[in-house]
Amino acid sequence: MRIRMTVMAGLATLAGSVGLYPLFMGGQWFWHALGAVVATGLGSVAVRRLRVPAVFDPLGPAVALLLYCTLVFTPGRALVGIIPTQSSLGGLGDLVSDGWSAANRYAAPVPDGRGIHLLVTIGVGAVATVVDLLAVRLRRAAPAGLPLLAMYSVPAAIREHGVNWMVFGVGAAAFLALLMADARESVGGWGRMVFSPRWHEEPPSDRENPDISTLATSGRRIGAATLAVAVLLPMAVPGIHPRGVFGGRGGGTGGDGGRTVTTPDPMVSLSRQLTNPDDGVVLTYRSDDAERPDYLRLYALDRFDGDRWTYSVASTSKDKVSDASLPAPPGLSVAPSRLVTTRIKVSKDLRDLQFLPMPYAPVRVQAKGDWRVHSPSLMVYSLRDSVGGRSFTVTSRRVLPGPSDLKVGGTYTRDMLAEFTYLPKSVPDKVRKLAVAVVKDARTPYDAAVRLQSWFTRTGGFRYDLTVGTPEHGSDLVDFLTVDKRGYCEQFAAAMAVMSRELGIPARVSVGYTSGRQNPSGEWEVRGRDAHAWPELYFEGAGWVRFEPTPAGAAGQGTATEPAYSLAANAGGTGDDGTTSPDPEPSSSVGPGGRPTTGPRFRNDLPGTGGSPVVPREKHHGGPGYAPWVAGGTLVVLLLAAAPAVR
């Protein structure tokens, strides 16, 4: 039954599963993985003892894994706590669905949950089954390394930094031990040495016990060299370890080479902070602003794929903030503004954050470290330095537009429309019709923006609710706008930005913090519950300006504030002279992305803005949904390769 090889295969799988640690917040998942390995190992031994044909060998581990999952996750619905029933299978199915939803909703590391643990149990159990089939039953130990490698490919595909080199070394050592055990059993299978009469005629010598020390030494050297190459060679490849070999301050990108800046899903991080019962202080600051300070922005999300708002920054050495000055704010030319200096101190507990929180629009920043700026959005970030525990000073230009400044800023270029009003065809048409109905008598984009904000905060019947789940599909947006009308800042900001784009107003979603609260010493404190998302709309002459569709006050986001320019009493169907202008004639055209548009498009129907979008919808490479295809494809290749050996 090859018990020793079964044990070594299980240990190799368990060591390889350690590489999944970056995907989870807690450590409970590992014990479920251990149980899965033990269960599949016992199932494999059972089918081999019954001499089941190799083709049906996976049935034993599969049945054992099912019994284990039933015992651990749905014992109350099973016979004697372990025998599956229709009810227990339904419960397992519900947990799988919950786990899959959580895996696609949260960015790694995902929080612990029974659904997540069940997915880990099934995944590790499946890998253990394939490793045992190849290494033990089919005696193909070398190909068994492929499913083990598939487990490392999951965090490598999802997280920028992959897994620690020491963790990879543990898995590689376990795989080498599996190969050595297989080789030892292969040599031992030759049986005892048979001596001829000639051997007995000669005096006893060392020939009775052949010297294999040289071969053993060579094998150890080959194994050590292989392990060293596997661990050390990737460290020499540019880009694999942007923080350095041991996770320190590495070289990152060299020369003028570009690199895409990635970060955990901002919306997921926002949700976690808002619902975290430990509402600790994340940063403090002092400002010389004469009024209440403006929001502190981290991210500007300008791409909408129908489900999520994201961003993309291709960083080069030219983006370094060398002299502390930043590019001019896009679009700001005639609107009044004033300079504001803010001195910010970030808590050490704010880990894994590489973007500086600061008021928009920053024009100068003084911070130690290697910081870079994304010119179109003015996001300031680092490829290797963390914000946690840092203090820095930023000078920003606070835009103070009046209604008249924004009313005249509704003429946009083709490029601005193509990039910042693009919506995929998957956005339901009901969203466009609803947006048109809400702003039907608006004369300018500014009037429409004020009407949208007022609809969300006052007249639309919306309520602030932190218990609402994160929207995942276009239908969730329609339900939020027309049925539930409950949500928190993520839903309000995303909905207003989408509706603005439907109307031809360039829009994006920003994520960061509200201004917080001022303590008696004059210092402002920003807590986790002050995490916030809001839409920014573009007006020529004023640039990107903030709007606030999220309800504020005791029944809403407590520190959210509506900017003064968004509360103009004459926004809507009245002009500056108090006269009422007629409703605009609905126009029918083809907007960016090929989407038909009907309703007030103001002065944005410029020729040449239709057709294919300038910013195409990107394929999603960063979510857990990528993992099953990697593992599934690997298993298919393995089974096809092993098919000739099955008798």
Side-chain angles (χ1 to χ4, degrees):
M1 294 185 293
R2 307 189 73 191
I3 299 297
R4 177 181 296 179
M5 281 299 299
T6 301
V7 173
M8 294 304 300
L11 291 176
T13 303
L14 192 62
S17 70
V18 176
L20 299 175
Y21 78 93
L23 305 180
F24 311 101
M25 295 183 65
Q28 186 65 29
W29 65 272
F30 178 78
W31 302 110
H32 290 290
L34 173 61
V37 170
V38 172
T40 54
L42 293 176
S44 299
V45 171
V47 294
R48 282 193 289 273
R49 186 176 184 85
L50 297 174
R51 300 185 182 279
V52 175
V55 176
F56 303 103
D57 197 71
L59 291 179
V63 172
L65 184 62
L66 176 60
L67 295 176
Y68 172 76
C69 292
T70 303
L71 176 64
V72 174
F73 296 100
T74 57
R77 301 186 181 185
L79 293 178
V80 298
I82 191 172
I83 301 177
T85 63
Q86 184 176 359
S87 178
S88 68
L89 293 177
L92 292 176
D94 293 340
L95 285 177
V96 168
S97 179
D98 293 343
W100 187 260
S101 177
N104 285 277
R105 178 183 305 170
Y106 296 105
V110 298
D112 275 342
R114 289 172 56 81
I116 292 293
H117 292 162
L118 179 57
L119 289 181
V120 173
T121 303
I122 295 174
V124 174
V127 173
T129 299
V130 176
V131 172
D132 186 89
L133 174 66
L134 292 171
V136 184
R137 187 58 180 259
L138 303 180
R139 301 178 182 271
R140 300 290 181 90
L146 293 178
L148 298 177
L149 185 62
M151 287 194 289
Y152 287 102
S153 70
V154 177
I158 295 175
R159 289 177 57 90
E160 176 184 358
H161 306 304
V163 298
N164 185 278
W165 67 273
M166 295 183 65
V167 174
F168 178 79
V170 170
F175 176 59
L176 289 177
L178 177 65
L179 295 179
M180 293 175 63
D182 180 69
R184 183 181 297 273
E185 285 206 1
S186 297
V187 173
W190 295 345
R192 300 182 60 183
M193 184 174 295
V194 178
F195 301 101
S196 65
R198 182 176 179 181
W199 282 71
H200 293 285
E201 294 174 358
E202 299 177 0
S205 65
D206 292 339
R207 292 182 180 180
E208 296 182 4
N209 297 298
D211 184 10
I212 60 172
S213 59
T214 304
L215 295 177
T217 302
S218 299
R220 295 189 188 99
R221 290 175 179 174
I222 293 174
T226 303
L227 180 59
V229 170
V231 173
L232 298 177
L233 182 59
M235 297 181 181
V237 178
I240 289 186
H241 292 274
R243 291 179 177 267
V245 173
F246 298 100
R249 296 185 176 183
T253 56
D256 293 329
R259 177 181 163 197
T260 300
V261 181
T262 59
T263 189
D265 191 332
M267 291 301 191
V268 173
S269 301
L270 169 67
S271 175
R272 288 178 183 170
Q273 292 190 70
L274 288 174
T275 56
N276 188 354
D278 182 16
D279 188 26
V281 175
V282 295
L283 62 89
T284 58
Y285 68 92
R286 292 185 179 273
S287 173
D288 62 2
D289 199 339
E291 301 178 5
R292 182 183 181 91
D294 206 357
Y295 292 177
L296 304 173
R297 192 195 64 172
L298 285 167
Y299 312 108
L301 313 180
D302 56 8
R303 298 189 177 189
F304 184 62
D305 65 1
D307 298 329
R308 301 181 182 182
W309 284 89
T310 59
Y311 72 92
S312 179
V313 176
S315 178
T316 68
S317 59
K318 297 179 181 180
D319 299 326
K320 289 185 178 181
V321 183
S322 56
D323 58 353
S325 62
L326 305 179
L332 177 57
S333 58
V334 298
S337 64
R338 65 167 176 260
L339 292 178
V340 176
T341 300
T342 309
R343 292 170 291 278
I344 303 173
K345 183 177 181 180
V346 183
S347 169
K348 295 181 180 179
D349 296 332
L350 204 60
R351 302 187 181 96
D352 298 328
L353 180 63
Q354 294 175 274
F355 284 68
L356 293 179
M358 56 181 60
Y360 186 83
V363 295
R364 181 177 294 271
V365 60
Q366 295 174 325
K368 295 181 180 180
D370 179 21
W371 298 97
R372 307 187 179 200
V373 60
H374 180 238
S375 298
S377 64
L378 295 180
M379 292 187 293
V380 178
Y381 60 93
S382 177
L383 296 177
R384 59 189 182 186
D385 294 319
S386 175
V387 178
R390 289 183 178 270
S391 299
F392 62 94
T393 301
V394 56
T395 300
S396 57
R397 184 169 295 280
R398 184 169 186 176
V399 184
L400 303 169
S404 58
D405 298 314
L406 300 179
K407 282 179 179 291
V408 299
T411 301
Y412 308 112
T413 64
R414 294 183 179 88
D415 290 342
M416 178 62 66
L417 287 175
E419 182 170 359
F420 293 104
T421 66
Y422 165 67
L423 290 172
K425 295 181 179 180
S426 59
V427 176
D429 193 55
K430 290 183 179 180
V431 178
R432 175 186 57 81
K433 294 179 179 179
L434 183 60
V436 171
V438 172
V439 305
K440 60 182 179 180
D441 57 351
R443 296 179 57 194
T444 66
Y446 165 71
D447 297 335
V450 173
R451 283 186 173 272
L452 283 176
Q453 175 179 285
S454 179
W455 183 65
F456 282 113
T457 57
R458 293 176 178 82
T459 64
F462 290 89
R463 292 187 295 118
Y464 186 83
D465 189 350
L466 277 173
T467 64
V468 177
T470 302
E472 299 178 2
H473 308 289
S475 58
D476 296 336
L477 175 61
V478 175
D479 291 341
F480 167 70
L481 292 173
T482 60
V483 181
D484 296 334
K485 293 193 173 184
R486 296 181 302 111
Y488 53 97
C489 55
E490 175 183 351
Q491 286 89 346
F492 287 102
M496 181 169 175
V498 170
M499 295 177 75
S500 297
R501 288 194 173 194
E502 289 282 14
L503 298 170
I505 307 173
R508 66 189 184 190
V509 173
S510 289
V511 179
Y513 298 95
T514 62
S515 52
R517 292 179 173 84
Q518 192 174 24
N519 59 31
S521 68
E523 188 177 55
W524 291 82
E525 292 183 348
V526 176
R527 296 180 175 271
R529 291 294 179 92
D530 296 322
H532 195 48
W534 63 92
E536 289 182 345
L537 276 57
Y538 182 87
F539 298 90
E540 191 62 41
W544 292 98
V545 296
R546 173 177 70 87
F547 283 80
E548 185 52 87
T550 302
Q557 186 131 353
T559 53
T561 57
E562 295 174 279
Y565 53 78
S566 68
L567 300 175
N570 64 342
T574 59
D576 293 335
D577 57 358
T579 61
T580 302
S581 57
D583 292 346
E585 291 295 332
S587 60
S588 180
S589 62
V590 178
R595 291 175 52 83
T597 59
T598 302
R601 295 283 295 186
F602 313 110
R603 291 172 286 175
N604 301 337
D605 292 318
L606 300 178
T609 60
S612 300
V614 173
V615 185
R617 178 175 179 176
E618 294 184 354
K619 296 180 180 179
H620 180 59
H621 295 289
Y626 178 77
W629 294 101
V630 175
T634 302
L635 295 181
V636 170
V637 172
L638 289 173
L639 293 177
L640 290 176
V646 179
R647 295 186 176 89

